[in-house]
Short mmCIF file of all heavy atoms in Angstrom, two decimals:
data_model
loop_
_atom_site.label_atom_id
_atom_site.label_comp_id
_atom_site.label_asym_id
_atom_site.label_seq_id
_atom_site.Cartn_x
_atom_site.Cartn_y
_atom_site.Cartn_z
N LEU A 352 154.08 133.84 88.53
CA LEU A 352 153.36 135.07 88.04
C LEU A 352 153.78 136.28 88.87
O LEU A 352 154.10 136.13 90.07
CB LEU A 352 151.90 134.88 88.24
CG LEU A 352 151.03 134.13 87.21
CD1 LEU A 352 149.62 133.95 87.65
CD2 LEU A 352 151.11 134.79 85.80
N ASP A 353 153.66 137.46 88.32
CA ASP A 353 153.97 138.70 89.04
C ASP A 353 152.73 139.04 89.84
O ASP A 353 151.86 139.90 89.51
CB ASP A 353 154.27 139.90 88.10
CG ASP A 353 154.56 141.23 88.79
OD1 ASP A 353 154.75 141.13 90.07
OD2 ASP A 353 154.50 142.25 88.08
N THR A 354 152.48 138.30 90.91
CA THR A 354 151.35 138.46 91.77
C THR A 354 151.66 138.14 93.20
O THR A 354 152.85 137.68 93.53
CB THR A 354 150.16 137.59 91.31
OG1 THR A 354 148.97 137.93 92.00
CG2 THR A 354 150.47 136.17 91.46
N SER A 355 150.75 138.37 94.15
CA SER A 355 150.98 137.98 95.56
C SER A 355 149.73 137.45 96.13
O SER A 355 148.63 137.70 95.75
CB SER A 355 151.47 139.20 96.33
OG SER A 355 150.32 140.11 96.36
N TRP A 358 147.52 140.21 97.45
CA TRP A 358 146.70 140.88 96.26
C TRP A 358 145.48 139.97 95.96
O TRP A 358 144.34 140.47 95.96
CB TRP A 358 147.58 141.13 95.00
CG TRP A 358 146.70 142.02 94.06
CD1 TRP A 358 146.88 143.33 93.91
CD2 TRP A 358 145.76 141.64 93.05
NE1 TRP A 358 145.99 143.83 92.88
CE2 TRP A 358 145.28 142.72 92.37
CE3 TRP A 358 145.20 140.32 92.73
CZ2 TRP A 358 144.28 142.78 91.39
CZ3 TRP A 358 144.24 140.31 91.75
CH2 TRP A 358 143.79 141.49 91.09
N ILE A 359 145.78 138.77 95.77
CA ILE A 359 144.70 137.83 95.30
C ILE A 359 143.57 137.80 96.45
O ILE A 359 142.36 137.79 96.14
CB ILE A 359 145.17 136.35 94.95
CG1 ILE A 359 146.24 136.56 93.88
CG2 ILE A 359 144.04 135.48 94.60
CD1 ILE A 359 147.00 135.20 93.67
N ARG A 362 141.70 141.27 96.76
CA ARG A 362 140.84 141.69 95.68
C ARG A 362 139.74 140.69 95.31
O ARG A 362 138.77 141.10 94.70
CB ARG A 362 141.71 141.92 94.45
CG ARG A 362 142.74 142.97 94.59
CD ARG A 362 142.16 144.34 94.61
NE ARG A 362 143.18 145.36 94.70
CZ ARG A 362 143.36 146.41 94.02
NH1 ARG A 362 142.54 146.69 92.99
NH2 ARG A 362 144.32 147.31 94.21
N THR A 363 140.01 139.41 95.74
CA THR A 363 139.04 138.36 95.23
C THR A 363 138.51 137.41 96.38
O THR A 363 137.46 136.82 96.18
CB THR A 363 139.65 137.42 94.23
OG1 THR A 363 140.62 136.62 94.91
CG2 THR A 363 140.43 138.20 93.07
N VAL A 437 128.11 130.37 80.01
CA VAL A 437 129.25 130.70 80.82
C VAL A 437 128.90 130.54 82.33
O VAL A 437 128.32 129.58 82.70
CB VAL A 437 129.92 132.04 80.40
CG1 VAL A 437 131.37 132.05 80.71
CG2 VAL A 437 129.75 132.22 78.79
N CYS A 438 129.18 131.70 83.09
CA CYS A 438 129.00 131.47 84.59
C CYS A 438 127.58 131.50 84.93
O CYS A 438 127.29 131.07 86.12
CB CYS A 438 129.72 132.75 85.23
SG CYS A 438 131.51 132.71 85.00
N ASP A 476 148.95 135.02 82.19
CA ASP A 476 148.13 136.33 82.30
C ASP A 476 147.68 136.47 83.73
O ASP A 476 146.68 135.84 84.15
CB ASP A 476 147.05 136.28 81.30
CG ASP A 476 146.13 137.44 81.48
OD1 ASP A 476 146.41 138.43 82.24
OD2 ASP A 476 145.08 137.47 80.82
N ARG A 477 148.28 137.29 84.58
CA ARG A 477 147.92 137.43 85.98
C ARG A 477 146.56 137.88 86.17
O ARG A 477 146.02 137.73 87.26
CB ARG A 477 148.98 138.26 86.69
CG ARG A 477 148.86 139.71 86.38
CD ARG A 477 149.80 140.51 87.33
NE ARG A 477 149.67 141.96 86.92
CZ ARG A 477 150.16 142.86 87.64
NH1 ARG A 477 151.05 142.60 88.63
NH2 ARG A 477 150.05 144.13 87.35
N SER A 478 145.99 138.64 85.16
CA SER A 478 144.72 139.27 85.44
C SER A 478 143.57 138.19 85.32
O SER A 478 142.44 138.47 85.68
CB SER A 478 144.45 140.36 84.41
OG SER A 478 144.33 139.85 83.08
N THR A 479 143.93 137.04 84.74
CA THR A 479 142.78 135.94 84.76
C THR A 479 143.31 134.72 85.50
O THR A 479 142.42 133.95 86.03
CB THR A 479 142.37 135.57 83.29
OG1 THR A 479 143.61 135.30 82.54
CG2 THR A 479 141.68 136.70 82.65
N ALA A 480 144.60 134.44 85.41
CA ALA A 480 145.11 133.11 85.90
C ALA A 480 144.83 132.86 87.31
O ALA A 480 144.70 131.71 87.80
CB ALA A 480 146.63 132.95 85.67
N VAL A 481 144.72 133.85 88.15
CA VAL A 481 144.54 133.71 89.57
C VAL A 481 143.03 133.46 89.94
O VAL A 481 142.69 133.16 91.05
CB VAL A 481 145.00 135.02 90.42
CG1 VAL A 481 146.52 135.26 90.09
CG2 VAL A 481 144.15 136.21 90.11
N LEU A 482 142.17 133.68 88.91
CA LEU A 482 140.75 133.67 89.25
C LEU A 482 139.91 132.32 89.11
O LEU A 482 138.82 132.30 89.79
CB LEU A 482 140.05 134.73 88.37
CG LEU A 482 140.59 136.15 88.40
CD1 LEU A 482 139.87 136.99 87.41
CD2 LEU A 482 140.46 136.71 89.75
N PHE A 483 140.38 131.45 88.41
CA PHE A 483 139.55 130.38 88.07
C PHE A 483 140.07 129.04 88.54
O PHE A 483 141.18 128.78 88.88
CB PHE A 483 139.38 130.30 86.48
CG PHE A 483 138.85 131.55 85.99
CD1 PHE A 483 139.59 132.56 85.41
CD2 PHE A 483 137.41 131.79 85.91
CE1 PHE A 483 139.02 133.83 84.98
CE2 PHE A 483 136.84 132.88 85.50
CZ PHE A 483 137.68 133.89 85.00
N LEU A 515 134.50 140.13 78.27
CA LEU A 515 134.93 138.77 78.86
C LEU A 515 134.67 137.67 77.87
O LEU A 515 133.49 137.48 77.45
CB LEU A 515 134.06 138.46 80.11
CG LEU A 515 134.15 137.12 80.84
CD1 LEU A 515 135.68 136.71 81.08
CD2 LEU A 515 133.37 137.10 82.06
N MET A 526 139.77 139.23 79.89
CA MET A 526 138.67 139.95 80.68
C MET A 526 139.10 141.28 81.04
O MET A 526 140.19 141.56 81.43
CB MET A 526 138.36 139.15 81.93
CG MET A 526 137.29 139.88 82.79
SD MET A 526 136.61 138.80 84.05
CE MET A 526 138.03 138.59 85.14
N ASN A 527 138.14 142.23 80.94
CA ASN A 527 138.33 143.62 81.46
C ASN A 527 137.62 143.53 82.83
O ASN A 527 136.51 143.78 83.03
CB ASN A 527 137.64 144.63 80.51
CG ASN A 527 137.70 146.03 81.12
OD1 ASN A 527 137.90 146.20 82.35
ND2 ASN A 527 137.64 147.08 80.30
N GLY A 528 138.48 143.07 83.87
CA GLY A 528 137.96 142.65 85.15
C GLY A 528 137.18 143.68 85.80
O GLY A 528 136.01 143.54 86.29
N ASN A 529 137.65 144.98 85.69
CA ASN A 529 137.11 146.08 86.46
C ASN A 529 135.71 146.40 85.94
O ASN A 529 134.72 146.64 86.70
CB ASN A 529 138.03 147.38 86.51
CG ASN A 529 137.72 148.25 87.63
OD1 ASN A 529 136.89 149.13 87.51
ND2 ASN A 529 138.24 147.86 88.74
N ALA A 530 135.59 146.40 84.61
CA ALA A 530 134.31 146.73 83.91
C ALA A 530 133.24 145.58 84.21
O ALA A 530 132.11 145.86 84.47
CB ALA A 530 134.44 146.96 82.41
N VAL A 531 133.70 144.33 84.26
CA VAL A 531 132.91 143.24 84.48
C VAL A 531 132.45 143.31 86.02
O VAL A 531 131.29 143.03 86.26
CB VAL A 531 133.61 141.85 84.35
CG1 VAL A 531 132.71 140.67 84.78
CG2 VAL A 531 133.95 141.71 82.79
N PHE A 532 133.35 143.69 86.87
CA PHE A 532 132.96 143.77 88.32
C PHE A 532 131.87 144.71 88.55
O PHE A 532 130.90 144.41 89.18
CB PHE A 532 134.31 144.22 89.03
CG PHE A 532 134.16 144.35 90.54
CD1 PHE A 532 134.69 143.27 91.31
CD2 PHE A 532 133.51 145.38 91.07
CE1 PHE A 532 134.50 143.32 92.67
CE2 PHE A 532 133.37 145.38 92.52
CZ PHE A 532 133.89 144.46 93.25
N ARG A 533 132.00 145.95 87.96
CA ARG A 533 130.92 146.89 88.17
C ARG A 533 129.56 146.55 87.64
O ARG A 533 128.66 146.74 88.32
CB ARG A 533 131.46 148.26 87.61
CG ARG A 533 132.41 148.97 88.50
CD ARG A 533 132.91 150.35 87.97
NE ARG A 533 134.01 150.21 87.00
CZ ARG A 533 133.89 150.61 85.78
NH1 ARG A 533 132.86 151.11 85.41
NH2 ARG A 533 134.96 150.42 85.02
N ALA A 535 128.56 143.43 87.14
CA ALA A 535 128.14 142.35 87.85
C ALA A 535 127.40 142.79 89.16
O ALA A 535 126.31 142.33 89.48
CB ALA A 535 129.33 141.44 88.31
N HIS A 563 126.73 132.66 92.48
CA HIS A 563 127.99 132.30 91.66
C HIS A 563 129.19 132.84 92.42
O HIS A 563 129.14 133.94 92.90
CB HIS A 563 127.81 132.96 90.27
CG HIS A 563 129.07 132.77 89.49
ND1 HIS A 563 129.79 131.67 89.34
CD2 HIS A 563 129.80 133.71 88.87
CE1 HIS A 563 130.82 131.86 88.60
NE2 HIS A 563 130.89 133.11 88.30
N GLN A 564 130.27 132.05 92.39
CA GLN A 564 131.50 132.44 93.14
C GLN A 564 132.55 133.00 92.20
O GLN A 564 133.35 132.24 91.70
CB GLN A 564 131.99 131.15 93.83
CG GLN A 564 130.94 130.35 94.67
CD GLN A 564 130.61 131.01 95.98
OE1 GLN A 564 131.46 131.47 96.68
NE2 GLN A 564 129.32 130.94 96.40
N ALA A 565 132.55 134.24 91.95
CA ALA A 565 133.55 134.91 91.16
C ALA A 565 134.46 135.79 92.01
O ALA A 565 135.69 135.69 91.71
CB ALA A 565 132.84 135.81 90.09
N ASN A 566 133.94 136.38 92.99
CA ASN A 566 134.80 137.37 93.76
C ASN A 566 134.04 137.55 95.08
O ASN A 566 132.88 137.95 95.03
CB ASN A 566 134.95 138.64 92.94
CG ASN A 566 135.80 139.68 93.59
OD1 ASN A 566 135.69 139.85 94.81
ND2 ASN A 566 136.80 140.22 92.88
N ARG A 568 134.12 140.05 96.93
CA ARG A 568 133.65 141.47 97.09
C ARG A 568 132.32 141.59 96.32
O ARG A 568 131.40 142.39 96.75
CB ARG A 568 134.65 142.52 96.50
CG ARG A 568 135.85 142.61 97.43
CD ARG A 568 136.83 143.65 96.87
NE ARG A 568 137.33 143.38 95.69
CZ ARG A 568 137.71 144.30 94.67
NH1 ARG A 568 137.42 145.51 94.79
NH2 ARG A 568 138.23 143.82 93.60
N ILE A 569 132.09 140.94 95.21
CA ILE A 569 130.86 140.91 94.51
C ILE A 569 129.81 140.21 95.36
O ILE A 569 128.70 140.70 95.50
CB ILE A 569 131.03 140.16 93.11
CG1 ILE A 569 131.97 140.91 92.29
CG2 ILE A 569 129.65 140.10 92.48
CD1 ILE A 569 132.20 140.20 90.81
N ASN A 593 136.71 130.68 90.92
CA ASN A 593 135.54 130.70 90.07
C ASN A 593 135.55 129.50 89.23
O ASN A 593 136.33 129.29 88.25
CB ASN A 593 135.69 131.98 89.30
CG ASN A 593 134.55 132.29 88.25
OD1 ASN A 593 133.67 131.27 88.08
ND2 ASN A 593 134.40 133.36 87.73
N SER A 595 132.92 128.74 87.21
CA SER A 595 131.90 129.10 86.17
C SER A 595 130.55 128.37 86.51
O SER A 595 129.99 128.41 87.54
CB SER A 595 132.47 128.85 84.84
OG SER A 595 131.72 129.43 83.82
N PHE A 623 126.08 135.83 87.29
CA PHE A 623 126.41 136.70 86.32
C PHE A 623 127.67 136.28 85.60
O PHE A 623 128.54 135.83 86.26
CB PHE A 623 126.61 138.13 86.89
CG PHE A 623 127.05 139.21 85.92
CD1 PHE A 623 126.01 139.93 85.36
CD2 PHE A 623 128.36 139.44 85.56
CE1 PHE A 623 126.29 140.95 84.42
CE2 PHE A 623 128.63 140.46 84.66
CZ PHE A 623 127.57 141.14 84.07
N GLY A 624 127.69 136.41 84.24
CA GLY A 624 128.94 135.96 83.60
C GLY A 624 128.97 136.44 82.09
O GLY A 624 128.18 137.31 81.67
N GLY A 625 129.98 135.92 81.35
CA GLY A 625 130.24 136.31 80.04
C GLY A 625 129.02 136.20 79.08
O GLY A 625 128.13 135.38 79.28
N PHE A 627 127.11 139.44 78.06
CA PHE A 627 126.81 139.07 79.39
C PHE A 627 125.52 138.11 79.42
O PHE A 627 124.61 138.34 78.73
CB PHE A 627 126.63 140.22 80.42
CG PHE A 627 127.89 140.97 80.62
CD1 PHE A 627 127.87 142.46 80.89
CD2 PHE A 627 129.15 140.31 80.69
CE1 PHE A 627 129.07 143.04 81.12
CE2 PHE A 627 130.29 140.98 80.99
CZ PHE A 627 130.27 142.38 81.22
O1 UT7 B 1433 132.39 135.07 86.70
C1 UT7 B 1433 132.24 135.80 85.64
C2 UT7 B 1433 132.40 137.19 85.92
N1 UT7 B 1433 133.68 137.52 86.35
C3 UT7 B 1433 133.83 138.31 87.47
O2 UT7 B 1433 132.80 138.68 87.97
C4 UT7 B 1433 135.17 138.97 87.69
C5 UT7 B 1433 134.95 140.42 87.90
N2 UT7 B 1433 136.13 141.18 88.15
C6 UT7 B 1433 136.91 141.04 89.38
O3 UT7 B 1433 136.69 140.15 90.20
C7 UT7 B 1433 137.96 142.04 89.60
O4 UT7 B 1433 137.69 143.12 88.69
C8 UT7 B 1433 139.33 141.52 89.52
C9 UT7 B 1433 139.58 140.66 90.78
C10 UT7 B 1433 139.51 140.75 88.22
C11 UT7 B 1433 140.41 142.66 89.51
O5 UT7 B 1433 140.15 143.45 90.70
P1 UT7 B 1433 140.14 145.08 90.55
O6 UT7 B 1433 140.01 145.56 91.94
O7 UT7 B 1433 138.96 145.34 89.66
O8 UT7 B 1433 141.60 145.34 90.04
P2 UT7 B 1433 141.91 146.17 88.63
O9 UT7 B 1433 141.62 145.19 87.48
O10 UT7 B 1433 141.36 147.44 88.61
O11 UT7 B 1433 143.54 146.12 88.79
C12 UT7 B 1433 144.16 146.90 89.83
C13 UT7 B 1433 145.67 146.71 89.72
C14 UT7 B 1433 146.19 147.02 88.42
O12 UT7 B 1433 147.41 147.61 88.48
P3 UT7 B 1433 147.58 149.14 88.26
O13 UT7 B 1433 147.05 149.46 86.92
O14 UT7 B 1433 146.68 149.83 89.43
O15 UT7 B 1433 148.96 149.48 88.56
C15 UT7 B 1433 146.38 145.47 87.76
O16 UT7 B 1433 147.39 145.57 86.90
O17 UT7 B 1433 146.00 145.38 90.04
C16 UT7 B 1433 146.81 144.84 89.12
N3 UT7 B 1433 146.61 143.38 88.98
C17 UT7 B 1433 147.37 142.53 89.73
N4 UT7 B 1433 148.28 142.65 90.70
C18 UT7 B 1433 148.76 141.47 91.32
C19 UT7 B 1433 145.76 142.71 88.19
N5 UT7 B 1433 145.80 141.41 88.41
C20 UT7 B 1433 146.84 141.26 89.32
C21 UT7 B 1433 147.25 140.09 90.05
N6 UT7 B 1433 148.30 140.37 91.08
N7 UT7 B 1433 146.86 138.80 89.80
#
Side-chain angles (χ1 to χ4, degrees):
L352 279 173
D353 179 17
T354 190
S355 67
W358 189 96
I359 302 169
R362 300 288 180 128
T363 71
V437 205
C438 296
D476 173 10
R477 70 174 183 175
S478 69
T479 52
V481 303
L482 302 176
F483 298 96
L515 174 52
M526 172 165 69
N527 180 335
N529 204 264
V531 175
F532 184 100
R533 281 182 276 117
H563 169 53
Q564 310 280 323
N566 184 315
R568 291 186 292 144
I569 296 176
N593 181 346
S595 194
F623 180 89
F627 289 150

